[in-house]
């Protein structure tokens, strides 16, 4: 909520940097954003919207490039979603915005450092760690998290060295969220479908040699509880060389799910079920790959073959139960199967990682906060610290969800600023400190140049871009 300049910010005449009121040209509101993904950019956009309080925003990211999951998470064949970066570029073009890539909070900069330069700090580091299944055999070779696979095919510098055994014919993807569908779709697409995307070059080559024939997408609950969206599951029916198949017995809704849908009709869920029903027995003539979309099944163990890697999976049939709170959950039956599978990706959600000195809820994998205001275990606000995005609320929603989320957190920041609850910085420009701690940092101008080079290289081969996947390659391209 915008604040009136005189009434709210004029209190701070004793600010150590300047004798002017806070939020003016002479004494701007200084904010550090940790994490340059959509959540960080939407917050920056909202800071700049406060016309009566002049903000200077420095954004830090441990990667050399900005845009977080838009670059390293959004599927390469979902090019349209990535056009949101134009909005981020516009925010970054504000002269009061700076980007410091390759600079890691907790490694190059500590909370105590930032307090000397900024009034407030905004943590938007996302949730990059995968959740585990906690079943025997989960750590066998050829059992991976979807997080790793997604980051690998998107050219994330920390994951480029991984390899996945795509000589296996049968792959299981555990979970039925949008990430699981992304993984299944990439595995089912032909090289012709992928070669017009910005998928990492090494991944394109590996996928071109893939021997995968069957991908099993496994939901522990029924079709009406699937977490994927309608658009994403429709795409599975439109693949060039792969059929998507469902089973009639798994498409018949159990009594609780049918009742829930009757009591709370939901057009999206109904449409999703329709699309899934159209896939019953639906094998496409000539298709060489099949995605088996299965429901009410859970893996209970992974087993090694002679080479020590996954070769089969124990699976149990589930049924739907209704708890006292009304939640429909899955519970195991006695029906068991053994499925031969040579590669497994678990895609059962992400969680965030704790940051040094910042209160964290281990059970939820998020920074401990109230509407974006970081709080201690006893509930007291941590002076000057705020959070937004997945590390605030958990891994939910689409990119745009981060916009209202940022507005909520920034409102708390404005309220606290007006109440004089903020750090009192004694230093004005962090640039020389960064140079001394991380000489190889990247600016937004560097990114725009990398973006230009990547796009130019892509244009020559009919692709949106050819990605740099290491900071060394990026430095070399910039002549640093
Ligand atoms: P998600 O939407 O939360 O889905 C997680 C899936 O894992 C659910 O099907 C969940 O089933 C299942 N699961 C959890 N624990 C399990 C277990 N122990 N055994 C078996 N299954 C288990 O998470 P996500 O797919 O990682 O996506 C994260 C967010 O990013 C979502 O908001 C998603 O929509 C978004 N995203 C969007 C796009 C897009 O718009 N194209 C693309 C990618 C991601 P239950 O429901 O039974 O718990």
């Amino acid at each position: 909520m915008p604040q009136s300049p005189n009434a709210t910010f004029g209190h701070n005449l004793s600010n150590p940097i300047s004798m002017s009121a806070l939020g003016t040209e002479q004494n701007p509101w200084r904010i550090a954003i940790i994490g340059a993904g959509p959540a960080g950019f939407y917050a920056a956009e909202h800071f700049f919207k406060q016309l009566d309080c002049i903000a200077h925003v420095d954004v830090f990211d441990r990667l050399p490039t900005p845009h977080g999951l838009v670059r390293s998470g959004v599927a390469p064949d979902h090019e349209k979603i990535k056009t949101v970066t134009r909005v981020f570029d516009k925010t970054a073009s504000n002269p009061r915005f700076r980007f410091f890539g390759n600079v890691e909070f907790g490694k190059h900069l500590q909370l105590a450092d930032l307090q000397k330069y900024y009034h407030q700090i905004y943590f938007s580091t996302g949730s990059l760690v995968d959740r585990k299944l906690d079943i025997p055999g989960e750590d066998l070779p050829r059992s991976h998290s979807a997080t790793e696979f997604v980051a690998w095919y998107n050219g994330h510098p920390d994951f480029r060295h991984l390899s996945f055994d795509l000589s296996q014919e049968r792959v299981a993807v555990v979970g039925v969220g949008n990430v699981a569908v992304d993984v299944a779709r990439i595995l089912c697409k032909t090289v012709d479908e992928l070669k017009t995307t910005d998928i990492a070059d090494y991944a394109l080559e590996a996928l071109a040699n893939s021997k995968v024939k069957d991908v099993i997408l496994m939901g522990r609950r029924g079709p009406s509880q699937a977490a994927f969206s309608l658009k994403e599951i429709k795409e599975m029916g439109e693949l060039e060389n792969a059929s998507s198949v469902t089973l009639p017995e798994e498409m018949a809704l159990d009594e609780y799910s049918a009742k829930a849908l009757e009591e709370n009709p939901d057009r999206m869920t109904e449409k999703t079920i329709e699309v899934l029903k159209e896939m019953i027995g639906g094998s496409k003539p000539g298709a060489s790959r099949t995605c088996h979309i299965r429901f009410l099944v859970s893996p209970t163990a992974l087993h090694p073959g002679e080479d020590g890697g996954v070769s089969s999976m124990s699976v149990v049939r589930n049924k739907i139960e209704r708890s006292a709170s009304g939640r429909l959950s899955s519970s195991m039956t006695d029906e068991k199967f053994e499925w031969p599978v040579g590669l497994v990706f678990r895609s059962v959600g992400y969680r965030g990682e704790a940051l040094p000195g910042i209160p964290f809820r281990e059970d939820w994998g998020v920074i401990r906060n109230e509407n974006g205001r970081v709080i201690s275990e006893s509930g007291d606000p941590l002076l000057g610290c705020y959070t937004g995005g997945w590390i605030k609320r958990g891994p939910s929603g689409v990119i745009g969800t981060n916009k209202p989320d940022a507005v909520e957190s920034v409102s708390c920041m404005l309220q606290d600023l007006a109440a004089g609850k903020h750090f009192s910085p004694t230093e004005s420009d962090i640039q020389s400190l960064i140079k001394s701690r991380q000489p190889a940092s990247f600016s937004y101008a560097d990114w725009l140049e990398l973006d230009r080079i990547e796009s130019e290289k892509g244009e020559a081969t009919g692709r949106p871009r050819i990605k740099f996947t290491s900071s060394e390659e990026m430095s070399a391209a910039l002549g640093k």
Side-chain angles (χ1 to χ4, degrees):
M1 149 206 0
Q3 308 279 329
S4 142
N6 302 330
T8 54
F9 299 113
H11 71 277
N12 202 26
L13 293 173
S14 62
N15 183 285
I17 292 182
S18 158
M19 292 303 285
S20 323
L22 183 51
T24 57
E25 286 286 0
Q26 296 73 29
N27 184 18
W29 173 26
R30 296 176 194 281
I31 305 138
I33 296 180
I34 313 298
F41 271 90
Y42 283 129
E45 185 186 328
H46 205 59
F47 295 137
F48 292 139
K49 277 195 183 145
Q50 309 308 311
L51 300 179
D52 54 2
C53 186
I54 295 198
H56 279 207
V57 180
D58 286 348
V59 182
F60 299 88
D61 202 290
R62 68 185 188 85
L63 290 185
T65 53
H67 305 161
L69 281 185
V70 177
R71 183 172 168 91
S72 66
V74 171
D77 56 343
H78 281 174
E79 189 55 27
K80 217 167 146 199
I81 298 180
K82 301 185 196 214
T83 54
V84 68
T85 58
R86 289 192 207 130
V87 177
F88 304 155
D89 285 346
K90 187 160 178 274
T91 301
S93 69
N94 188 313
R96 299 192 183 98
F97 176 101
R98 292 189 302 185
F99 171 66
F100 297 97
N102 223 14
V103 178
E104 186 171 345
F105 178 81
K107 182 176 172 188
H108 303 111
L109 293 174
Q110 310 299 331
L111 186 58
D113 297 319
L114 295 176
Q115 281 174 227
K116 292 185 196 147
Y117 293 86
Y118 301 96
H119 295 101
Q120 293 175 325
I121 305 167
Y122 191 89
F123 295 95
S124 47
T125 47
S127 321
L128 254 191
V129 185
D130 66 290
R131 288 191 185 273
K132 298 205 81 169
L133 291 166
D134 291 326
I135 58 170
E138 187 167 11
D139 296 322
L140 286 173
R142 297 200 296 265
S143 162
H144 308 274
S145 70
T147 325
E148 291 171 333
F149 188 58
V150 169
W152 171 78
Y153 65 58
N154 276 323
H156 188 301
D158 295 351
F159 295 83
R160 66 196 291 259
H161 302 293
L162 298 182
S163 62
F164 300 91
D165 184 355
L166 299 171
S167 69
Q168 300 299 318
E169 291 191 354
R170 285 173 64 84
V171 186
V173 182
V174 185
V176 283
N178 281 329
V179 172
V181 176
D182 280 349
V183 168
R185 193 179 67 253
I186 295 295
L187 287 168
C188 284
K189 278 203 163 178
T190 61
V191 70
D192 281 344
E193 285 171 294
L194 294 172
K195 74 180 184 199
T196 53
T197 73
D198 69 357
I199 192 165
D201 270 352
Y202 55 75
L204 186 63
E205 199 184 315
L207 287 158
N209 295 315
S210 163
K211 299 280 180 290
V212 171
K213 281 194 174 142
D214 291 285
V215 176
I216 313 164
L217 200 54
M218 299 175 65
R220 64 175 166 182
R221 296 191 288 160
S224 63
Q225 289 91 33
F228 47 63
S229 17
L230 176 61
K231 186 176 155 290
E232 271 60 34
I233 203 62
K234 265 188 175 167
E235 266 184 280
M236 290 306 292
E238 294 157 3
L239 301 171
E240 212 172 272
N241 191 31
S243 311
S244 290
V245 182
T246 52
L247 296 178
E249 61 271 31
E250 290 176 355
M251 292 310 303
L253 293 193
D254 63 281
E255 56 169 317
Y256 298 116
S257 302
K259 192 153 186 271
L261 208 51
E262 199 183 297
E263 283 168 2
N264 294 302
D266 170 25
R267 195 68 201 116
M268 275 302 190
T269 307
E270 282 163 6
K271 278 244 155 249
T272 299
I273 294 170
E274 269 170 39
V275 170
L276 288 166
K277 278 187 172 163
E278 282 164 17
M279 293 175 177
I280 291 176
S283 77
K284 213 181 259 179
S288 63
R289 289 182 179 146
T290 306
C291 180
H292 308 264
I293 306 173
R294 300 293 307 267
F295 294 101
L296 294 165
V297 282
S298 283
T300 52
L302 303 182
H303 308 288
E306 275 175 16
D307 65 357
V310 175
S311 74
S312 66
M313 174 189 263
S314 297
V315 180
V316 66
R317 164 77 61 208
N318 295 329
K319 63 175 187 216
I320 296 291
E321 275 186 352
R322 190 173 189 274
S323 71
S325 69
R327 187 185 142 78
L328 302 185
S329 58
S330 63
S331 81
M332 293 183 186
T333 68
D334 295 333
E335 201 180 338
K336 295 185 175 119
F337 322 92
E338 288 295 313
W339 288 353
V341 289
L343 187 60
V344 175
F345 294 104
R346 58 181 177 276
S347 183
V348 294
Y350 294 90
R351 53 176 283 119
E353 263 187 324
L355 296 164
I358 308 301
F360 195 70
R361 279 201 70 150
E362 278 299 336
D363 50 350
W364 294 357
V366 299
I367 289 179
R368 200 173 275 278
N369 76 93
E370 214 168 66
N371 306 325
R373 207 178 252 124
V374 179
I375 55 169
S376 68
E377 207 163 322
S378 53
D380 301 320
L382 196 73
L383 185 74
C385 294
Y386 304 84
T387 181
W390 280 8
I391 195 68
K392 165 190 176 185
R393 65 173 198 276
S396 64
V398 292
I399 292 169
T401 314
N402 292 300
K403 207 170 174 166
D405 177 274
V407 171
E408 180 186 65
S409 300
V410 174
S411 299
C412 293
M413 295 172 79
L414 283 162
Q415 278 166 20
D416 291 352
L417 201 68
K421 294 177 194 160
H422 51 75
F423 296 130
S424 300
T426 50
E427 311 285 333
S428 58
D429 190 354
I430 200 162
Q431 202 131 230
S432 55
L433 179 74
I434 291 172
K435 256 204 180 102
S436 69
R437 301 264 178 91
Q438 171 51 304
S441 72
F442 288 70
S443 65
Y444 210 81
D446 289 337
W447 159 245
L448 292 176
E449 180 57 7
L450 290 170
D451 184 31
R452 190 192 64 73
I453 301 171
E454 286 187 344
S455 309
E456 205 173 86
K457 280 173 144 185
E459 215 169 293
T461 54
R463 301 177 59 189
R465 68 177 63 240
I466 293 184
K467 280 182 177 175
F468 293 111
T469 58
S470 74
S471 57
E472 292 75 24
E473 278 176 2
M474 294 181 207
S475 295
L478 294 171
K480 279 182 173 236

